[in-house]
Amino acid sequence: QGPHHVIAFKPPSTVCHHSSWTSGSSTNSNAESAETTPMLQRVRDAIGGKKVNLIHRLDRSASGCLLFAIASDDDENKNEKNGNNVTFQLIKALKSPHAVKTYLAVTVGDCYYPSNENASKEDMTKKEWFTVNQAIKDENGVFKNATTSFRFVAWKNVTTAEAT
């Protein structure tokens, strides 16, 4: 934690914030487990109830570090181009073409992927970096272009029995 930000570890199966996709609310009953408490509320509670703003998200099934801005009075107008607030500055920095986000994925499979619809499967371990361009739906069901670059760093062929 710094004076204006918090970095927190998000475990798998935990949402970053409530949305129409999570079908939750911002309050928990005693019957709900800790896993149902979104990261936004967990971080807020961990730093004494200060308001925090989520700078980026990770999918529910992913684990990793999340960046939060500790909100200031200027952050109330974060949707306006207020260049003085921490939330705006951190979001702007992550959207910069100079920003690099790195993900490490542990997967099970045969390392083959079709390079296009008409191609036979290609052994992706033989490539350095490869890119997948695939539109994905946002929270409103609207398709958005998405580009992800991958590189295999290590792999082991396993049988189905070993993978389970």
Side-chain angles (χ1 to χ4, degrees), residues 64-97:
C65 294
L66 291 173
L67 176 61
F68 296 85
I70 299 173
S72 66
D73 292 338
D74 287 338
D75 284 340
E76 292 303 318
N77 299 318
K78 70 179 180 178
N79 291 330
E80 298 175 18
K81 302 250 183 219
N82 180 355
N84 296 325
N85 72 56
V86 173
T87 300
F88 177 82
Q89 291 297 323
L90 289 173
I91 290 171
K92 181 179 172 186
L94 269 183
K95 288 183 175 182
S96 161

Side-chain angles (χ1 to χ4, degrees), residues 1-31:
Q1 177 177 339
H4 304 291
H5 72 281
V6 176
I7 297 173
F9 175 75
K10 184 190 96 54
S13 302
T14 303
V15 296
C16 292
H17 60 84
H18 285 301
S19 73
S20 60
W21 282 18
T22 64
S23 68
S25 66
S26 60
T27 58
N28 284 344
S29 70
N30 291 335

